[in-house]
Amino acid sequence: MVADIKDKAAIVGVGSTEFSKNSGRSDLSLAAEACKAALDDAGLKPKDVDGMVTFTMDMNEEVDVARALGCDDLTFYSRVPYGGGAATGCLHQAAMAIATGMAETVVCYRALNGRSGHRYSEGVSGDLITGSAIHYGWYTPYGLLTPTSWVAMYHKRYMHLTDCTEDVMFEIAHATREYAVNNPAAFFYKRPFTREDYDNAKKICDPLKLYDCCQESDGGSAVVLTTPERAKDLKQPGVLIKGVAQCSGKDQEEMTSFYRPEIAAIPEMDIAAKMAYEQSGLTPDDIDAAVIYDAFTAIVLWQLESWGFCEQGKAGEFVLSGALRPDGRLPTNTHGGQLSEAYIHGVNGIVEAVRLTRGTSVNQPKKDVNHVLVTSGVGVPTGGALLGKMD
Amino acid sequence: MTPEERKAFEDKVHAYVGREVNAPQKGKDDVNKAMIRHWAEVMGDENPAYTDEEYAAKSSKGGIIAPPSMLQIWSMEGYPMAHNPSQDVQRELHNVFDEHGFAGVLGTNTSAEYYRDLRPGDEVHAHTVIDKISEQKATQRGIGYFIETVTNFTDQNDEAVGKIIFRVLKFTPNDSNDATGGDDSDDGMPEAPTRIASPRGHDNKWWWDAVDEGKVLIQRCKSCQTLRHPPRPMCGECQSIEWDSIESTLDGEVFSFTELHYPKFPGYQYPLVCAVISLGEGTRIISNIVGCEPEDVYIGMKVKGKVEQVDEKTMLPQFYPAD
Ligand SMILES: [Zn+2]
């Protein structure tokens, strides 16, 4: 059965705070500002909001954000687990709530002091903030403590089985950096880099080096969704959810699915992609641009394969063809991605995907952009959304 | 080091005893109110004898004095040394220790004597000599030598105003690369950091308890005999909750691996390689590859494991090249 979700909800507003390394204020202040910016963008008022969605990892309670913003009654609130895997999961929850009438206008937000507060690069080395201590206990005694180390384990295997070389990883890092150079909101605004910089950067976990890894950032991003009917009367052109799916694959662990027959792949994203394409009636050929979750260069490759832009194991070739560049087959992470703009757990990526669909990215491709893919973090249960222009 | 090499080394370092680190040197600034005030503010020392002229004039001090503990401050080199450390005799001596494997350095203690109050306008001259080098000592940090330097401070009239003795331990770290010490003394060493252990709950305690006894077990469904790892309470094949276990022979093959470079965590020895290992029994396990250079590890490499004590508190399976 294919879920009946196509064109049931539209993103009508997007907003972000400044991205920085030290915001000097609370997570709640960032969340409230991002939500307010998204509502302003839509021409909506806080009292129009009746639903809220965020990450289980977010520190800001929905009721606190609602009270800070001055919302009235909320009839829908929900959270999506698994770190960055929740990014488009928020759209998934919001679209279902709107499609069923549980809520009319839903704000999705994520705000964190990810540099000045708890740093994700510390992995599970400090005080565990989740109840998954026993799970990570299979890895911590050996020193496998950080997201980079878990991803490196998959990627070593991927490189072993495919033609992927450091040239490919550099191309991903470099493409996002070149986009960020033009983006005033990006950490690497006006700061280009060279192959030499990439090669000489600190080794993190073999085969990943510093510039294969994303930023750690303070900031918040939010998007507002409502019904397509209501969207017609609002300030910005609506961006429709054409398809949206989540999946936890067989034998999934949180970041450490090392016990599957093959680990150089992300089967949960294959399934989410298939579902989203079926819901939307679209195929990979219909997708004009993408925002692909890039906590690491490596994980972009696996997702390009999951979403059918190239064959399994051939993402390296695809990337080296210049596909991710402004004039390429699939301009990708045109805001600079999390590698080069900021790490707001993928929600800044949803904001960019909306801009691409509206035609307002700072690096807007010259071609018509009708459909844009945006994905969630991988290694964890994940998913993605296909966005399209409203008629 | 052979006994002859050790003697040669000790003769070489003991020859430094009595040598001056610097010729007597006048401090960059004479004692002055501004630096006294900064120090008092930073240290949170509100004694008005340091900052309140009126109060100080009426007190037994008869005027503003510098906090005695500022003695060394008046002779410090200033910020440029952070970029361009002086290449003095002390550095030279430390280099000799470094070259012979005593690369660790730990400030162990300082003692100071103050002969008179310093007042604004006083000059401070410092003269540092290497005073003592101990015999070789076995400390909890590792084998090493204590080096004592003495700095004598004099004023504009060549009168002694104070003396500071500074003792450091140059040592070969016991394990890992923990060459940077805190301010702990050799007789009150903190416990060495250990690896981050797994918490033990209902579903995994038995496994870790077996590791403590030197065995790696694999959970087995009593109903359908399917092996599973990591352990979980129910068999995914037949949903039975009855299980026992078999002991792994720890014959395995590297399925994937990574060398961990950064960040380095206390309690772990680097270089450090983690690997996904396919065991002969058919399940996989995550562990470390040891007993070879990280560059020599490859996917498909045959490995053999054994349970070892890796630090004071931790027993862990570790895998070695099989041949
Ligand atoms: Zn069974």
Side-chain angles (χ1 to χ4, degrees), chain B residues 220-226 228 234-240 242:
Chain B
R220 178 173 64 183
C221 174
K222 262 189 172 174
S223 165
C224 75
Q225 310 295 304
T226 304
R228 57 187 197 259
M234 184 178 282
C235 172
E237 299 299 316
C238 75
Q239 287 70 48
S240 169
E242 299 292 318

Side-chain angles (χ1 to χ4, degrees), chain A residues 140 142 153 204 206 258 260, chain B residues 256 258 261 268 284 288:
Chain A
T140 56
Y142 306 102
M153 198 70 93
I204 308 294
D206 171 53
F258 299 141
R260 293 167 162 173
Chain B
S256 192
T258 177
H261 294 278
Y268 296 81
R284 293 213 185 109
N288 299 120

Side-chain angles (χ1 to χ4, degrees), chain A residues 125 133-134 137-143 145 149 152-153 156-157 160 202-206 258-261 263, chain B residues 195-196 198 204 207-208 230-231 255-262 265 268 274 276 284 286-288 299 316-317:
Chain A
S125 61
I134 289 195
W138 298 108
Y139 312 104
T140 56
Y142 306 102
L145 295 164
S149 71
M153 198 70 93
K156 189 79 178 186
R157 180 87 191 160
H160 175 70
K202 182 158 59 180
K203 290 177 178 178
I204 308 294
C205 296
D206 171 53
F258 299 141
Y259 309 94
R260 293 167 162 173
I263 66 169
Chain B
R195 297 188 182 210
I196 300 170
S198 174
N204 72 341
W207 195 90
W208 287 108
F255 186 72
S256 192
F257 68 98
T258 177
E259 184 187 354
L260 307 155
H261 294 278
Y262 182 87
F265 293 94
Y268 296 81
C274 281
V276 179
R284 293 213 185 109
I286 310 308
S287 183
N288 299 120
I299 292 175
L316 270 189

